[in-house]
Each structure stands twice: as C-alpha cells, then as structure tokens.
Amino acid sequence: MIADLVLYNIKTLYTPHHEPPLRHQELNDILSIDDAYLAIKDGVIIGFGAGDGAQHIDESTTVHDLAGAIVCPGFIDGHSHLVHAGSREDEFALLREGVPYLDILAKGGGIHGTVKKTQEATPEALFKQAYTSLDRMMAHGVTTLEAKSGYGLERATERKQLQVARQLNQQHPVRLISTYMGAHALPKAYTNKRKTFIDQVIRDLDVIKKEDLAEAVDIFCEKNAFTVQEAKTILTAAQRKGFKVKIHADEIVSLGGTALGVKLGATSVDHLMAITNDDIERLADSDTVANILPGTSFHLNRAYARARTMIDKGVAVAVAGDYNPGSCPTENFMLIMQLAANQLKMKPGEVLSAVTLNAAYHLGLSGQTGSIATGKQADLVVLDAPNLAYTLYHFGINHVKDVYIGGQRVVHDRQITRRNP
Ligand code: NIG
Ligand code: FE
C-alpha cells in the first residue's frame, strides 16, 4: 500500500508487542528492529520493518529522513492533575523543613490552596496554564494524557475543569482522557458533614455523565482524605452509572484502597508507595494495573513504590507522571521515565512498556495506540540517542527530538511545529 508519509533511516525502532496487560518478562520483551522504516497512511501505521520502505513510496509520498535517530511509540501519561490554577512553592519550603504533606493538607493548605485558586480562576486562565503545560509534556514525548478534575470540590468548578479539559482535547494535539475526582479532599465546611459531601459527589455524577465530561471516577483514599468505606460508596455508585473507576491508594498510609480497587475491577490503582505484600498478591491475580508515580516520591522525599517486587510477582505495572502543583510539579516526562529506571530499578524495556502499552491498556486505548503495530495510530517519539537504555541513563536530559500524533509531526527538532492536528 502506498503511504502518505514514510519515516526512514531509523537506527532502531522499539516497541512492546505482546497482548496487554504486560507482566513478568513480557514487560521487558521489546521488539527492536535495526535500520528500520515506518509507513503511515491517514494517520495510521500501515507498515514498518527493516529497510527503507520503498514499497510504500511513490511520488505522492512525503518522506522524513530520521538521520539515525531511534523511534518508540508515543508516551502515554496515564495520571495527571493537568487543569488547575497557580503553584505551591510556598508549601515546597514547608515540605523541605520536614512538615508532612498530610499535615499541610489537614491544616487547610495543600490541595485546599489550589482549590481556592481554581475556584476563582476563569476558564480562559485555566486553559492557558494547562495549554502551556501540555506543550511542555508533548515536547517530552507525551502523546496521550489522562487528566483529572478535583480542584473544585463543588459542582461548578469540577465542571469548569472538565470543560477546559474537553476544550484542550479539541484544540491541542495531545489526546486527553478525562477523569472526575470530586472527592480529592474534604472541604473544611464539611468536616462534620462528611456524608453530605459524599452524597453531593454522587449526585454530581449524573451531570458529569449527561454532559459526557469524564469516562472514569477517581478518589483520594488516604488518611486525612477519604476512607475505604467512603471510596467504596462513591466508586460503586460511579460503576452503576457507567463510569470506569480508579483509586489513589496507598500513597502515604496503607488503608486498603488497593484491595478495594481490585475487588471493584478498577482500571488502575495509583501511587502504591505504602502497598502491603498481600495487596501486591491481590494485584498480581487481577487485571487492575499498578500505576506507579515516581516523580511524587521524588518531590515528597518519600519511599518509592516497590516496582521490582510487583513486576516479579506478576503485577501489570504502568508508570505515570502525576503532574500537579503539590506533590509532583513537573511536566518533564522523560525525567519520570529516568526515575523509573534509576529509583524503581526498572529495566529499559520495562520502562518503555510501562509508559506505552500498559498505560494504553488501563486507559482502554490499547486497540488504538501504545505500540507500533499495523492499524494503530501513528503516535511516535523520535529520540536523539544511540539506543533505548541511553535515554534513561543520561538523566535530566530531554532526548525527544520529534513527536508524531496521528501521523502529524507536532514537534520537530525540539520545536513545537503544529498545534491543531
Ligand atoms: O496524586 N494525592 C492526591 N493528589 C495528588 C496531589 C494533589 C495536590 O497536592 O495538589 C497526588 O499526589
Ligand atoms: Fe494524583
């Protein structure tokens, strides 16, 4: 078949290639093809392999010479708090003095500070801030991003955040998947009315569903946030209304959020820094993905999730960024991958699988993206590096040179070249 676009002179093309969710050795079993080409038609991969792709080329075909760079599937960041107002560098100073993250939250700071600013912000201001962040993420190889609400804690602002995410999805090349997180923290005014708050979150699910503003529901199941029982109430209501569910679980204190997530068939359970051995076994026996967020451990100066044990026990592991103003203020997704290699002790192939096919799997997108395969979207990252391992070893550096989303080159020579595919 003749292609619209052929990428050639690829030093090595890397992709996961087993059926997801990937576990055990499959995570590290990356197909690598040297001296490769990749052919694209209508934004979809129609062929790839060793050679120059001449069989896909006629005078109508555009060709891009990748000059010996390496190519991977586009990175999928399956956990972010993209849309919010302001920043929290004041709190960073407290964290460094040793004040615990959960104490800051309990005193009305932390998430509550961002909630106030997000409530006050115009949709235009939220859009602008998030757009800039999306540009940065895309320049670091992110082609699909999950984005949560959760800085409203009341209907109007939660809707505002999700509407901004929808507008971004229409106007920015990065593909966005929205999650409603109305139970991210308990507003002070509800300290003695927890049930009223939970009832409101559940009531608002109908509005979110009717306006098709999110496909999943998340909750912060944590000390000083929401209990396992409260999480169960909200998430089972969400499932009855047709949402997928996921949980912020075992981030700081292990309450049992992971076991709940597994029981409900959550698409992912996220953070897991304090996960128990029993919960690792439970995860291994399920198709719920362990979504590990090493940037949060780094910024909060806390333990890293035990990724090695999870992989060895057969848990399907993904790695994500958790971009947010409190616990992980960075859009540098390459650094997240480098932390996964350095601190989670994941092998290069495992890191790649964790940020591509397993991330696509828990977002329900593995039929469309997450690997280089015929029939999938041409979401690709071109890296200026001699091999995959090098991109993780040479840390603090963005090795991403070009990015393609749906066959459109949106980053070229480190510059954003196309905004609306
Ligand atoms: O994933 N832990 C809860 N939510 C975010 C942090 C949100 C914030 O501090 O603003 C997280 O770490
Ligand atoms: Fe988070």
Side-chain angles (χ1 to χ4, degrees), residues 79 81 148 248 271 293 322 324:
H79 181 137
H81 304 257
K148 304 172 195 299
H248 279 60
H271 282 292
L293 316 169
D322 197 23
N324 75 75

Side-chain angles (χ1 to χ4, degrees), residues 12-17 22 26-33 70-77 140-141 311 317-320 333-334 336-338 340-341 346-361 369-372 379-383 387-389 391-392 400:
T12 309
L13 180 153
Y14 297 92
T15 184
H17 61 120
L22 307 171
E26 279 183 5
L27 267 167
N28 198 39
D29 185 22
I30 298 295
L31 175 68
S32 72
I33 304 172
I70 65 171
V71 172
C72 295
F75 303 145
I76 299 177
D77 183 350
H140 289 91
I311 292 171
V317 167
V319 167
F333 197 69
M334 278 244 79
I336 300 297
M337 292 169 62
Q338 290 157 354
M346 291 172 67
K347 297 168 188 165
E350 293 170 343
V351 175
L352 184 64
S353 294
V355 300
T356 57
L357 198 48
N358 269 6
Y361 173 79
T369 188
S371 63
I372 295 174
D379 296 344
L380 306 162
V381 174
V382 179
L383 298 135
N387 54 63
L388 178 63
T391 66
L392 303 171
V400 174

Side-chain angles (χ1 to χ4, degrees), residues 42-107:
D42 297 327
V44 170
I45 298 166
I46 58 166
F48 63 96
D52 58 9
Q55 67 275 30
H56 294 289
I57 300 176
D58 72 6
E59 60 290 342
S60 70
T61 307
T62 303
V63 291
H64 290 171
D65 180 354
L66 297 194
I70 65 171
V71 172
C72 295
F75 303 145
I76 299 177
D77 183 350
H79 181 137
S80 87
H81 304 257
L82 173 72
V83 180
H84 61 262
S87 57
R88 306 222 297 267
E89 59 276 24
D90 46 344
E91 183 182 315
F92 179 50
L94 294 176
L95 285 171
R96 288 301 165 276
E97 285 163 22
V99 183
Y101 176 82
L102 289 180
D103 288 7
I104 298 172
L105 178 65
K107 292 205 175 85

